[in-house]
Amino acid sequence: ALSCGMVSADLSAALEKLKDSSKSIGSHQKRQVFWDAYSKMSSKAGTMRDGEYAFLKYVVDTAPGATASEGVVEVLELTKRQKGLVGCVLGPKFKPPEDPSSNNHVFIWSGENKEAQVAWHDLNHGEPCVYITSSEVFVATKHKRASCKTLSSPVKTVKDVERLVSELKPDSPLRSVSWQGNEPVTINTYNVMLAGNWKLDTDLPDKIGCVNTTSCDEIYDYFEQRKATQHLKDADKLVKQMLVDVQKNLVPLIAASSTKEAAVAYKLALMKKVYVDESKYGKFVAKVREEGAVELIAVTPTNTGKDSAEHGSLFRDHGGLVFEMFYRV
């Protein structure tokens, strides 16, 4: 939950109302988890200062044998920067039960499909995209969105689109929606797209996408598809360079290997950049991501069947892990 300036009693009441509604959840085990979560969050809300901006983060082990009563709630107060970005947040919003016209509210992410985990990661670490509608330019993640520019006239040709994209610079006008610091977006080969119903004079270049929707969720899903496709191309390119070096009998600068060999290169500080299939090597990804010493690109798997774009990928064929070293060894 993300409380946005609610009075403590109102926040507690909103959570109590959600607790009551959790009685209708079908599974007994899930019902227990949600009842425990809302009970403990409501109790914690009662101890918070009025008007506080903070996360109430409930964590519980749902593995077989774990009990719902072991869940704990942590209150994480927002920084000054994060408070300033609350107006950009997108999500399920709840007002005080006794004052539905209040300007204050609480966002609640729950559900059975890891909505809370997805929202937590997105708010804190989500990579932003840039999308252009017929009237505005936005910077957005799945759960954050900021308007950056209003278009004064319609964009009708591909040249107009390319000209507009070329003018989109970090901080001018592209805003930062990062909760960690001022990190304005820089346009790259996959993160900019048109959104909505567009009729242009010719095809767009590959570096500019187009998705026929204005749904924030669908736009971000499309962005993630573009990102995954680009990362796979980059990983394939790295493997191809490795194979060229092998044919030339050069000392390797790039290696596609097991996590055991990758771990050795990582420990010896030889690794510069690594592309890895997170679904296969989750523990390795988690360690590298936590320590932050190496540039890590998690290549998200999509459909890998024989008819997919990934069929025949060099990266997939070589195990889903390739890394570049600082020098040849």
Side-chain angles (χ1 to χ4, degrees):
L2 172 57
S3 177
C4 302
M6 288 184 76
V7 173
S8 175
D10 288 342
L11 176 58
S12 184
L15 291 165
E16 282 292 326
K17 186 175 181 180
L18 287 167
K19 182 177 78 171
D20 289 340
S21 67
S22 71
K23 294 176 182 177
S24 61
I25 295 174
S27 164
H28 175 68
Q29 183 181 9
K30 289 175 182 175
R31 220 169 29 245
Q32 281 186 311
V33 170
F34 278 84
W35 186 270
D36 182 64
Y38 289 130
S39 295
K40 289 180 176 176
M41 289 168 71
S42 175
S43 177
K44 185 69 75 171
T47 67
M48 293 169 59
R49 301 188 309 272
D50 287 344
E52 191 166 353
Y53 284 74
F55 279 111
L56 288 89
K57 184 181 179 184
Y58 175 82
V59 180
V60 65
D61 183 2
T62 56
T67 60
S69 61
E70 295 172 349
V72 294
V73 176
E74 184 180 6
V75 176
L76 303 167
E77 188 172 355
L78 300 192
T79 65
K80 182 178 179 181
R81 174 176 179 79
Q82 291 165 354
K83 288 179 185 178
L85 289 171
V86 161
C88 299
V89 174
L90 306 171
K93 186 186 297 186
F94 299 89
K95 300 274 190 174
E98 302 300 324
D99 185 12
S101 63
S102 172
N103 292 326
N104 299 318
H105 53 269
V106 58
F107 291 100
I108 303 283
W109 291 276
S110 56
E112 302 176 11
N113 298 312
K114 297 186 176 180
E115 287 96 336
Q117 293 95 317
V118 169
W120 176 259
H121 182 270
D122 182 84
L123 290 171
N124 287 282
H125 309 292
E127 181 180 347
C129 67
V130 177
Y131 71 88
I132 303 166
T133 69
S134 59
S135 59
E136 285 184 85
V137 177
F138 293 93
V139 165
T141 67
K142 193 175 186 67
H143 291 289
K144 290 177 290 185
R145 182 180 65 177
S147 176
C148 300
K149 181 181 176 70
T150 300
L151 303 184
S152 57
S153 59
V155 178
K156 296 181 179 180
T157 69
V158 169
K159 282 189 176 181
D160 289 340
V161 173
E162 291 180 306
R163 186 181 305 110
L164 173 59
V165 170
S166 71
E167 295 169 354
L168 301 178
K169 307 295 183 183
D171 275 331
S172 180
L174 299 180
R175 294 173 54 186
S176 170
V177 293
S178 169
W179 282 35
Q180 313 308 323
N182 186 40
E183 300 170 0
V185 186
T186 298
I187 298 295
N188 60 30
T189 56
Y190 61 82
N191 70 353
V192 63
M193 65 209 73
L194 305 183
N197 187 15
W198 288 79
K199 294 181 180 179
L200 301 171
D201 59 335
T202 186
D203 293 335
L204 288 163
D206 290 342
K207 65 182 180 181
I208 302 174
C210 187
V211 56
N212 189 13
T213 182
T214 53
S215 161
C216 295
D217 283 345
E218 291 177 2
I219 290 170
Y220 200 73
D221 288 345
Y222 175 68
F223 158 70
E224 291 194 314
Q225 291 172 13
R226 284 177 57 81
K227 179 173 71 170
T229 299
Q230 185 61 53
H231 285 173
L232 185 63
K233 288 180 181 178
D234 293 342
D236 282 347
K237 185 177 179 180
L238 211 58
V239 176
K240 187 176 180 179
Q241 183 60 53
M242 178 195 73
L243 296 177
V244 170
D245 287 353
V246 170
Q247 290 177 348
K248 292 181 178 179
N249 293 318
L250 297 174
V251 176
L253 181 65
I254 300 163
S257 59
S258 67
T259 49
K260 184 177 180 179
E261 293 170 310
V264 171
Y266 180 75
K267 288 180 180 179
L268 295 176
L270 297 173
M271 186 179 289
K272 178 182 180 182
K273 178 191 293 186
V274 58
Y275 289 83
V276 58
D277 184 339
E278 189 168 6
S279 67
K280 294 178 68 174
Y281 306 110
K283 290 183 179 179
F284 176 76
V285 169
K287 180 177 177 59
V288 174
R289 186 175 281 154
E290 180 183 5
E291 296 181 356
V294 169
E295 183 181 355
L296 180 142
I297 297 93
V299 182
T300 307
T302 55
N303 175 19
T304 56
K306 65 179 182 178
D307 296 324
S308 77
E310 298 189 20
H311 183 63
S313 159
L314 288 172
F315 174 72
R316 300 295 184 203
D317 292 345
H318 284 77
L321 191 155
V322 60
F323 59 91
E324 181 182 6
M325 292 176 281
F326 284 104
Y327 46 85
R328 299 181 186 276
V329 293

